[in-house]
Amino acid sequence: LPTMETVVAKRARNVALLNERLSKYGSLSLPKADPRISYLAYPVVAETSELRDALLFGLDKLGVETRPLMSLVPVEVAVAGRVSCPFGFANARDLHRRGFYVSCHDSLSDADVAYIAESFDGILRR
């Protein structure tokens, strides 16, 4: 708890820096930067699943770790028979197909955050 304010501020700053660099790409949906949120990761939703896949492949080759977004869609786990949804979890499935996370951890340096943004640039400018 003694470092909580510093951690939250640094993560929010990293989100703001990534948004600043990546907002030029209309094919990506980015999180709203808010200094009151303690971001656990930086969520990105690509316009298409093909673009998401290209980003995941390219970022991995450049050493930028990613994680799936919405990896536990309810119909695909043990609760499937106990949870009812008239739309079949369409939004969760869509976010899972098009979304992913990259790090915005407070231990990242400004150079690390710049590298993540440059990695996106290199892939998206092709």
Side-chain angles (χ1 to χ4, degrees):
L1 286 177
T3 62
M4 184 181 78
E5 286 183 27
T6 303
V7 167
V8 171
K10 178 68 166 136
R11 289 177 184 220
R13 181 173 185 274
N14 289 343
V15 167
L17 290 172
L18 286 168
N19 278 355
E20 193 175 296
R21 291 285 303 270
L22 300 179
S23 63
K24 62 187 166 199
Y25 298 110
S27 57
L28 301 178
S29 293
L30 308 173
K32 183 186 289 190
D34 186 331
R36 299 169 298 168
I37 296 173
S38 179
Y39 297 89
L40 297 178
Y42 184 79
V44 177
V45 178
E47 192 169 55
T48 66
S49 60
E50 293 80 15
L51 176 57
R52 190 273 323 251
D53 292 347
L55 285 165
L56 293 180
F57 178 76
L59 291 169
D60 182 62
K61 283 181 69 172
L62 295 168
V64 177
E65 190 174 347
T66 64
R67 293 280 191 265
L69 185 68
M70 297 296 295
S71 60
L72 293 175
V73 178
V75 284
E76 296 172 358
V77 295
V79 298
R82 293 178 256 159
V83 176
S84 168
C85 180
F87 305 109
F89 303 98
N91 291 335
R93 287 178 185 273
D94 183 52
L95 286 173
H96 176 68
R97 281 192 288 272
R98 297 185 301 118
F100 63 97
Y101 294 108
V102 296
S103 182
C104 65
H105 196 272
D106 49 285
S107 67
L108 295 175
S109 68
D110 287 353
D112 294 331
V113 175
Y115 181 76
I116 293 169
E118 289 162 11
S119 298
F120 273 87
D121 287 339
I123 297 162
L124 292 167
R125 287 187 182 156
R126 290 184 199 158

